[in-house]
């Protein structure tokens, strides 16, 4: 039963010394305990602050935009300003990289280290999906930390591969090699013999005379008579312990029987020339990069000349 409010003016809660307000529900009564003044003033200040914020900054959403605020500030505008400042800071490095032929980059260590740093960032965006965050690769994707290269490991060769890709059917300057599928060319027994011979080249099986003969007649033209590969064809070295797909019998059988036709995208239609140079420097720095040959290959120089003339 509700109490008479007049009675509650005289009623004090003995344990706390606080007056009752006169509300009761199912035997539970409410004490007259007002909020602390500091809390109330803080609450009022937050209301004032919110009103000031609404006036100064974007706050109310509209159909296609939002209220601009007196200060005209936006997070996109701040980002654009920061990006412009970053581009301004990078401009000397970018201009220097644009001017230097890629084959000469390694000789300028300060510029080379700047390119490596930029290439590391670009690699994390564009290359880790296949080569991994540590560039160690995986099945079908080369490890870029070793010294085993299909097409060449000097910075010019790496730059050319990045620029033009591998087996891009829409690009005439792409790296191109094709290992035939020997299913139907060789019998299963002959393929098995070749597998044994290939494994013997790296000490994984005993020599197979029949396989060596078949290899000499069908495979040596690209992989070399000694099996160490020929870079002009992108043919891998079969005598070491570095394998792109695997060295077990089942994997090698599949490779020889059905072939492999891995594709690496060309980046000259996706990235600017300076970013590609940075990527080339980064990959070259990973541990397996080779010295630039005394007579640099003409292909990268041709590419540089085209870039200077504004050609793709």
């Amino acid at each position: 039963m509700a109490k008479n409010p007049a009675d509650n003016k005289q009623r004090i809660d003995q344990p706390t010394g606080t007056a009752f307000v006169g509300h009761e529900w199912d035997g539970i009564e409410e004490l007259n305990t007002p909020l602390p003044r500091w809390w109330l003033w803080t609450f009022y200040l937050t209301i004032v602050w919110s009103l000031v914020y609404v006036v100064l900054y974007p706050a109310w959403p509209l159909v296609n935009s939002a209220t601009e605020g007196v200060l005209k500030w936006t997070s996109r505008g701040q980002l654009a300003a920061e990006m412009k400042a970053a581009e301004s800071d990078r401009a000397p490095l970018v201009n220097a990289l644009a001017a230097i032929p890629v084959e000469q980059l390694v000789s300028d260590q300060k510029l080379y280290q700047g390119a490596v740093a930029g290439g590391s960032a670009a690699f994390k965006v564009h290359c880790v999906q296949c080569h991994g965050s540590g560039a160690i690769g995986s099945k079908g994707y080369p490890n870029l930390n070793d010294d085993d290269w299909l097409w060449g490991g000097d910075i010019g060769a790496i730059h050319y591969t990045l620029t033009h890709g591998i087996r891009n059917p829409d690009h005439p300057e792409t790296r191109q090699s094709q290992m035939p599928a020997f299913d139907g060319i060789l019998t299963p027994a002959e393929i098995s013999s070749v597998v044994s011979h290939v494994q013997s080249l790296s000490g994984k099986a005993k020599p197979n005379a029949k396989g060596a003969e078949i290899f000499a007649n069908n495979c040596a033209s690209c992989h070399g008579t000694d099996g160490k590969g020929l870079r002009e064809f992108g043919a891998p070295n079969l005598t070491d312990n570095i394998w792109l797909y695997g060295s077990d019998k089942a994997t090698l059988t599949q490779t020889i029987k059905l072939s492999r036709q891995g594709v690496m995208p060309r980046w000259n239609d996706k990235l600017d020339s300076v970013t590609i140079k940075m990527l080339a420097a980064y990959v070259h720095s990973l541990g397996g990069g080779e010295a630039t040959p005394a007579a640099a290959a003409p292909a990268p120089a041709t590419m540089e000349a085209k870039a200077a003339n504004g050609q793709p």
Side-chain angles (χ1 to χ4, degrees):
M1 183 176 69
K3 306 288 186 182
N4 187 337
D7 297 337
N8 289 300
K9 293 181 179 179
Q10 307 300 321
R11 295 181 64 239
I12 301 296
D13 180 53
Q14 295 303 319
T16 62
T18 306
F20 289 94
V21 298
H23 300 157
E24 177 187 342
W25 180 259
D26 198 20
I28 300 174
E29 296 184 75
E30 182 181 357
L31 298 178
N32 184 15
T33 310
L35 292 169
R37 286 187 177 275
W38 68 265
W39 192 97
L40 288 172
W41 281 111
T42 302
F43 178 66
Y44 297 147
L45 285 173
T46 60
I47 295 175
V48 174
W49 166 253
S50 66
L51 294 175
V52 173
Y53 187 95
V54 166
V55 173
L56 296 179
Y57 294 96
W60 294 99
L62 304 176
V63 176
N64 297 316
S65 60
T67 55
E68 292 184 348
V70 174
L71 297 180
K72 306 295 184 182
W73 178 91
T74 65
S75 57
R76 292 186 179 182
Q78 182 180 6
L79 174 61
E82 292 174 355
M83 293 291 290
K84 186 176 181 179
E87 289 177 4
S88 178
D89 292 340
R90 293 175 65 243
L93 173 64
V94 171
N95 293 336
L97 286 173
I100 190 172
V102 69
E103 294 84 2
Q104 298 176 17
L105 183 56
V106 179
S107 61
D108 187 334
Q109 277 301 302
K110 184 177 180 180
L111 190 58
Y112 177 74
Q113 292 303 322
V116 169
S120 175
F123 189 90
K124 291 178 175 64
V125 176
H126 302 289
C127 309
V128 297
Q129 295 86 347
C130 294
H131 293 284
S133 58
I136 61 173
S138 59
K139 187 174 183 178
Y141 302 100
N143 181 355
L144 304 177
N145 294 281
D146 56 35
D147 57 358
D148 201 50
W149 298 90
L150 294 177
W151 300 96
D154 64 274
I155 194 169
I158 295 170
H159 183 263
Y160 189 89
T161 300
L162 286 166
T163 302
H164 301 293
I166 300 172
R167 301 186 187 92
N168 283 239
D170 64 330
H171 187 56
E173 295 180 77
T174 189
R175 300 283 197 190
Q176 190 63 261
S177 67
Q178 183 173 1
M179 174 179 168
F182 284 96
D183 187 27
I185 299 176
L186 300 177
T187 66
E190 289 173 327
I191 291 176
S192 179
S193 296
V194 174
V195 168
S196 296
H197 172 69
V198 170
Q199 287 183 315
S200 73
L201 293 175
S202 57
K204 293 178 173 60
K206 295 180 179 180
N208 186 301
K210 181 64 175 177
E213 179 184 354
I214 298 171
F215 183 92
N217 294 331
N218 295 274
C219 313
S221 56
C222 291
H223 291 283
T225 56
D226 56 1
K228 291 187 176 181
L230 297 172
R231 288 182 173 180
E232 56 265 39
F233 302 119
N237 181 356
L238 304 176
T239 65
D240 55 26
N241 289 311
I242 300 173
W243 298 86
L244 188 56
Y245 291 94
S247 61
D248 60 279
K249 190 173 184 67
T251 300
L252 286 174
T253 298
Q254 182 180 3
T255 298
I256 295 171
K257 183 178 180 180
L258 303 178
S259 180
R260 306 283 187 178
Q261 298 295 329
V263 174
M264 173 182 164
R266 63 187 178 99
W267 292 102
N268 63 346
D269 63 341
K270 304 174 184 68
L271 301 176
D272 60 88
S273 60
V274 171
T275 301
I276 295 175
K277 281 184 181 179
M278 288 179 172
L279 281 170
Y282 174 69
V283 172
H284 183 266
S285 73
L286 289 176
E290 300 172 349
T292 301
T302 301
M303 186 280 301
E304 290 289 346
K306 288 186 175 183
N309 294 327
Q311 301 178 17

